[in-house]
Amino acid sequence: MLGRLLILCGALVSTTAFVETLSACPFCAAVSQTFSQEIESMDAAVIAKLVDIPDTTMEGAGVEATFEIVQVLKGKEHLKDTKKIKSLYYGDGRKGRLFLILGTEPENMMWSTPTLLTDRGVTYLNEVLKLPATGNKRYAFYQNYLEDQDDMLARDAYDEFANAPYSALHDLKPEMKHDQLVKWIKNLDLPANHRRLYFTMLGVCGSKADLPMLEEMLNSDDSRAKQGLDALIGCYLTLAGAEGLPTIDKLYLANKEAEYADTYAAIMALRFHGTETDVIPKEKLLESLHLMLDRPALADLVIADFARWEDWSVADRLVKLFKEADDETSWVRVPVIRYLMACPKPEAKQYLLELEKIDPDAMKRAQTFFPFQSQAVPERPADKQKPQEQLLAKVEAEQEPAEELLAATADTPATVAAEQSGKQTAMAKPQVTRDKLSTAGDRALAAAITGQTNPNLPEPASVGILQRIISTSIPVLVTFGLILVLSSILWNPGNSASA
């Protein structure tokens, strides 16, 4: 259970980022900032030679070393006639070595920890600064440094591709090195994130002739062969098309013995194809995702996709899953409610009323952060609405600030009872309790459904300057007073009673 929670949390975060942008390589994640990003974000960048370093006084401690500027890459207007700079340096210093040093705050320049450069690294940096911001020339250059013998340059080249728009990979297709990609993919010692990039690139420049190799990896018992499985499946389906779906269904979606992480990798690959490509018709992808409804414990992973792709054909099956849910499958309930709230079918209203009676807490959680405005949400007569529902209706009708109305009714017995009971109806709006009850997972799932970063987040209310000063200064004064009291006790133990 804990393993599933950890994987699901990571999956939700990656899904949110995936849906929000889909601009970078869909299966890749940059390890760090690239050289070009670091230099762009700083005020100055120089290549400097180590000329003086004092003796270290403690193992591992940094010392202030002196460097002589050899080349100014950025910020000449700030450095002017500066010839030497000082920066904190760690490790054994050999004079004459070259380093990349970045600076910020031009008026009182602060220098970063130096990065050691080889001669090839110096040449690489000078070429990087000449590259266009995007386009084939840029990525053809970085392609030459993938898996370079200089680990620093190889990492930087990978990060550039990980940040590249997916469309840029398609543009680079004529210049991609197919055979080299295959060689790297077969190297099981490569990091999983590198293999993901190469699978994605092979999906662009490969052909059906590569399918036997990919199928062998999909069916392998060696876990290393399936590193980067989401990208492997994505590549396989790109080259095989809809004809490849039965293989993925059999191995990961319909197979109840498949590992959770493998199943989710398959879902991510189908999600990629449904959002980013037109290789496989969406109805075919949905047929495969429907198989997850036969695995109730994991069905919640795909319900957001059904809502986002407006597949309302599974409403009846989802209601059945909700009603039959137990401790092992309770994950499914909130996503089912959210799906029905988005569903335009008339019967969705009645389903919501039925499900609220079964699990009012699930209904409350679904309502605390719900990004849809749907006709499927049932309305109640005014005389049967709960206090908060009537309050919100009044807000909508009179356009009065919700905070004032809440303050006016905050102490009424009905409101207190409703808050203590923890129950909320299907018509309750999210603005009242969303901030208190919604979780990061709720927000990530909502973002996955809508494709929005922060759907329905309320605009922050403006706060007067005087109010800000008071709200900020009071805690500071109280804290300062407590420090004085504690100090008097520590320094004069006999005065503790008077304090």
Side-chain angles (χ1 to χ4, degrees), residues 242-299:
E243 296 177 1
L245 284 173
T247 298
I248 304 305
D249 294 346
K250 178 182 177 182
L251 290 174
Y252 306 114
L253 300 179
N255 180 12
K256 297 182 179 181
E257 301 300 321
E259 293 184 10
Y260 172 79
D262 293 350
T263 297
Y264 190 79
I267 293 171
M268 283 294 291
L270 268 63
R271 189 174 293 158
F272 157 71
H273 276 285
T275 310
E276 185 75 356
T277 79
D278 56 1
V279 174
I280 303 174
K282 192 165 291 185
E283 56 268 22
K284 292 291 186 181
L285 296 172
L286 286 168
E287 287 178 9
S288 292
L289 292 179
H290 287 176
L291 296 172
M292 295 304 301
L293 299 184
D294 295 324
R295 301 172 64 183
L298 301 182

Side-chain angles (χ1 to χ4, degrees), residues 52-65:
D52 183 52
I53 182 169
D55 295 334
T56 57
T57 57
M58 183 184 301
E59 185 177 355
V63 295
E64 191 175 56

